[in-house]
Amino acid sequence: MRIAILQAGAADESLALAAAAGELLARGHTVRLFLEAQEKRFVQSIARFQPDLAIVQAALMSRVWIKHAVELLPAGTPSILVGTAATFDEEILEASDATAAVQGELDDSLPRAVEALLSKDGDPSAVPGFVYRDDAGRIHSTPWADGPPEFSDDRPLPHRDLYFDPYPFMGRFPWKRFQTGRGCVHSCGFCYLPGLRESYGGLKPNVRRKSVQRVIDEVLAVRRKWPVENIHFADDLFAPGKPWLEEFAERFPREAGIPFSCNTSSETVTESTAQLLAKAGCRVVGIGIESGVETNRMDQLGRPTRDNAIERAADRIKRHGMRLLTFNMIANPGETLEEALETLRFNQRLGTDYPRINLAYPLPGGWVEQASIERGLELPDPDSFARADYRAWCVEGDGKPFEILMRLFRVSTRLNVPMPVVQALTKVPSRSLFAPLWLYNAYVESRWSGVGPVDALRYARHAGGPLRRVTYHESIP
Ligand code: SF4
């Protein structure tokens, strides 16, 4: 069968979709990706392909695009939504004209959903985590599988050429993401993972890891065809277990020899894991700070990590010659500007090389949404929200100072801008004065990835810059 996959742009490249596409190819389907931003005649290109079925990336904060994409399909083409909105937005099927939605990870359930819709004897009620319309248009949903899909060396390799073949500028970009594992032991109140774990019954181990051999095979398979000069391992938690890391540190530099960055948590950065990461070729380690106010981090954001654990991890990362990247979130419900500035101060104290910063977003069913509703805040309407509408919705009163602080965050951390100066700048009446800082922010992003300016600009010319992407998660598109 011919399956079209629809996404908005190159910045939304999803490892989860590439893995699911590998499973579909192995079952004999023909799969072709269409990125709307890269196609001069998006509708005509899809129609020419004559798909039997379409898979549409349905990420949270993208309802407008999801509806639009489904409407563009040739008449009568069944469509399956996948991704964070398909998983967490209970109204997404009603809000679009799509045929069905797959909830959660796709590796096992997407091929089954495709068969259920396309084969004569297909039984949608047997597909786990499936929301679908019956012939009368009524919506049904099935229970999730008892645990997320397991990794196995026998699974087909991810179909990375899903992106690289039709859009070679993506293949030629020398920085590429891979995944060695999925899942996390933490339960941060603003993250998708606790909800995902709960929906899978919370019983089976949530943290899964590919074998070292499999990781090396996946990397080398891409490198045989495309340049791979820097890697980002986009796991939730890269360093949870020492035996795996010992084997990886021994083999990866010898058999692949590619510098990489990764994300992990402060708790996992022991003296020996820091040493092993450096030995394996790690350049940059990302850890979550979220809030610089310890009590807010622990009590509100549900992240029981003390300041001294973060300081210890930062010190180990730097002492072993790696760079420190941090994840930060401001404009949380109830947060004052002074508390948000404390997050900046904490990063300055740590000497963060690459600070990443987000405004809190009210994920459906999450702590941020609940706390915002309790405070009577007006939340964005998912039916009219577009990417450019990103705001400090979750603070009471004027959100502008937080939005300015977000723009200033990277430069203020890296150049240690004195706090009174930052405070004064957050009071400037217009946000747009700070818009040119996107250039600096994009520069910092390209620095941590290790990509040179020419490659970064060449990629950004097509993809629109590294900061522009939907709210996907590495495990679900
Ligand atoms: S935010 Fe990071 S540390 Fe927290 S639950 Fe999610 S993946 Fe784990």
Side-chain angles (χ1 to χ4, degrees), residues 79-80 89 103 114 131 140 145 161 170 209 211 286 302 306 309 318 331 351 397 403 423 427 433:
S79 52
I80 300 179
D89 182 348
Q103 299 178 305
V114 168
V131 187
H140 302 266
D161 282 342
M170 297 178 77
R209 198 112 212 213
S211 70
R306 295 208 170 273
K318 284 172 165 275
E403 290 159 15
Q423 266 163 327
K427 296 192 172 60
L433 268 184

Side-chain angles (χ1 to χ4, degrees), residues 184 186-188 190-191 193-194 236 290 303:
C184 178
H186 303 292
S187 294
C188 304
F190 52 87
C191 179
L193 281 186
D236 300 304
E290 314 308 348
R303 184 61 196 273

